[in-house]
Amino acid sequence: IPLKEGSYKWAHGNLVEEFDTSIVVIETDENIIGVGEVCTLGSSYLPAYSKGVRSGILEIGQSLIGKDPTNIGLINLEMEKKLKGHPYVKSPIDMACWDILGKYHKMPLWKLLGGKFGKKVDLYRAISQEDSETMKSKVKEYKAEGYSKFQLKVGGYYEEDIERITSVSSLLNSDNTLVADANTGWKSYEALKVIKKTANLDIYIEQPCETYHDCVVVRKKTTNPFILDESIDSINNFLQAYNDGAMDIINLKISKLGGLHKSKQLRDLCVELKIPMTIEDSWGGDIATAAISHLAHSTPEKFRFSSTDFNSYNSLSYTEGSPKRIDGKFAASDSFGLGVELDFSKLGKPEFVVN
């Protein structure tokens, strides 16, 4: 999937010019087809990589043949039994099973995930790490398109990050939200320097450091609203962070948890514990964006900090029905399942078939 902007940059010198996404198609004996997608953000961001998706599916695929895809809990247990860990491998299979479940019961996925809250979902726009003037220019452009929430990719040299945050902040008003997302790129002392120099600005600090310990150290020394992302890769890790008072908000990434089944569990737990969420994934195209929209739209608005529309970042669309952003918002489809139909002419032949 090529990017409209040509490249996407974030902490640790990471740069991607196009994304390698994996699409799973599950065919059933009742002629219902389910689709799922997982797109890793390169191979040096999370412990996940695109070729690992395909080899992992080959490892577990045969054991799923003949199973009932609407029995999603059992499918997840079967995948875990066959392949320990590697949740990103299981995510597109789980997603495709949810798509089948919705189509089987003739319901949109949001209805099965808890109902629909509000008419639209607020989106954030991620701003690739560039020099401060370029980032400021992009925020101005996206603000004109209707976005009100912006996630700056910082986590570089901290003095340049201070300039990035300060420059962009000058464009915004009280109706806007600004998140400084370091993607684990700062040492704790660097994070504290950034926070001190931007103390007069209304910003959220997201995942400043690589280790959970260092994030907690920073958290205890700032009054800024605090978001954890990379540290929240399981329900157990979330519970530890909650008990430690380590964050105000989390980023819930579907593939990091292994699909919609476990993402729904964590989402419902966050609602119960009153922790707001940004509901998203690592990256993706039309299918992943559709899944995000259903999970986000079925989350009570009070606990829905933000979401994202990855398909608007990309220059390739391969479905009909994927949600489209209007004025910085999108809505989940009312069609059955995920509400998308694949255009197979844009995808070519399958890389492999398990039967």
Side-chain angles (χ1 to χ4, degrees):
I1 301 180
L3 282 158
K4 287 180 181 177
E5 290 188 355
S7 66
Y8 182 74
K9 304 172 187 175
W10 68 104
H12 302 293
N14 282 308
L15 181 150
V16 175
E17 294 178 334
E18 62 180 15
F19 289 92
D20 185 337
T21 195
S22 300
I23 294 170
V24 167
V25 179
I26 297 178
E27 298 178 347
T28 71
D29 55 8
E30 295 197 14
N31 296 318
I32 298 174
I33 293 176
V35 297
E37 178 183 23
V38 64
C39 184
T40 63
L41 196 57
S43 56
S44 58
Y45 168 54
L46 295 173
Y49 67 109
S50 58
K51 290 181 181 178
V53 174
R54 270 94 77 177
S55 63
I57 290 172
L58 282 171
E59 185 75 16
I60 64 179
Q62 190 62 48
S63 67
L64 302 177
I65 299 300
K67 300 290 192 298
D68 178 359
T70 67
N71 194 347
I72 293 174
L74 185 63
I75 293 293
N76 274 267
L77 287 174
E78 187 67 34
M79 290 193 291
E80 188 63 26
K81 183 169 69 173
K82 190 67 178 177
L83 179 66
K84 192 170 184 63
H86 301 279
Y88 67 102
V89 170
K90 300 159 187 173
S91 184
I93 297 174
D94 171 271
M95 193 181 292
C97 289
W98 276 95
D99 189 29
I100 292 168
L101 182 67
K103 291 172 179 174
Y104 179 77
H105 289 292
K106 295 182 168 53
M107 292 182 182
L109 218 53
W110 57 258
K111 188 167 286 190
L112 294 170
L113 290 169
K116 183 179 277 189
F117 295 87
K119 294 182 179 180
K120 301 286 183 181
V121 175
D122 290 335
L123 304 170
Y124 77 81
R125 188 74 188 192
I127 308 299
S128 174
Q129 189 180 110
E130 310 282 353
D131 64 84
S132 61
E133 285 305 307
T134 300
M135 295 179 81
K136 183 177 180 180
S137 175
K138 287 183 178 180
V139 168
K140 187 175 181 180
E141 173 189 338
Y142 289 122
K143 188 178 178 183
E145 291 183 10
Y147 287 99
S148 62
K149 299 184 177 186
F150 304 95
Q151 184 194 75
L152 295 188
K153 292 301 178 183
V154 288
Y157 183 52
Y158 74 88
E159 289 190 348
E160 292 177 356
D161 287 333
I162 293 167
E163 186 178 347
R164 291 177 175 113
I165 294 166
T166 304
S167 177
V168 169
S169 182
S170 67
L171 280 177
L172 306 181
N173 54 44
S174 59
D175 295 327
N176 300 135
T177 299
L178 183 60
V179 176
D181 181 11
N183 286 119
T184 77
W186 291 326
K187 300 290 188 293
S188 59
Y189 78 87
E190 294 172 325
L192 292 170
K193 282 180 175 288
V194 173
I195 290 167
K196 183 178 180 180
K197 289 290 187 178
T198 58
N200 61 318
L201 304 178
D202 183 13
I203 59 171
Y204 294 73
I205 301 298
E206 181 171 331
Q207 193 73 36
C209 307
E210 189 164 4
T211 70
Y212 173 72
H213 173 269
D214 284 351
C215 285
V216 173
V217 167
V218 175
R219 159 72 165 173
K220 290 179 178 179
K221 295 181 179 180
T222 178
T223 58
N224 290 77
F226 210 82
I227 304 171
L228 286 182
D229 178 355
E230 287 84 355
S231 292
I232 307 298
D233 58 5
S234 69
I235 292 174
N236 283 341
N237 284 351
F238 166 77
L239 288 171
Q240 179 184 353
Y242 174 77
N243 288 329
D244 291 343
M247 76 285 169
D248 302 292
I249 299 164
I250 68 161
N251 275 11
L252 191 163
K253 287 184 164 74
I254 293 171
S255 64
K256 195 162 62 171
L257 293 164
L260 287 166
H261 179 66
K262 290 184 179 178
S263 293
K264 180 182 184 300
Q265 291 177 344
L266 180 54
R267 187 277 308 272
D268 292 344
L269 182 58
C270 285
V271 170
E272 180 68 22
L273 296 176
K274 299 178 173 51
I275 299 294
M277 296 155 276
T278 290
I279 293 177
E280 57 173 351
D281 210 327
S282 297
W283 202 271
D286 290 346
I287 300 170
T289 300
I292 291 166
S293 73
H294 285 282
L295 186 61
H297 222 151
S298 62
T299 301
E301 293 168 284
K302 185 177 180 180
F303 304 106
R304 199 168 65 207
F305 179 67
S306 190
S307 193
T308 196
D309 57 330
F310 287 126
N311 58 354
S312 77
Y313 294 70
N314 306 327
S315 58
L316 172 68
S317 176
Y318 50 83
T319 70
E320 290 293 331
S322 187
K324 303 298 182 186
R325 180 245 311 160
I326 301 174
D327 294 331
K329 303 175 189 293
F330 69 9
S333 172
D334 290 332
S335 298
F336 302 153
L338 287 169
V340 299
E341 294 294 331
L342 282 184
D343 182 348
F344 285 94
S345 68
K346 294 184 178 180
L347 298 179
K349 295 180 179 179
E351 185 161 324
F352 59 82
V353 177
V354 178
N355 53 31

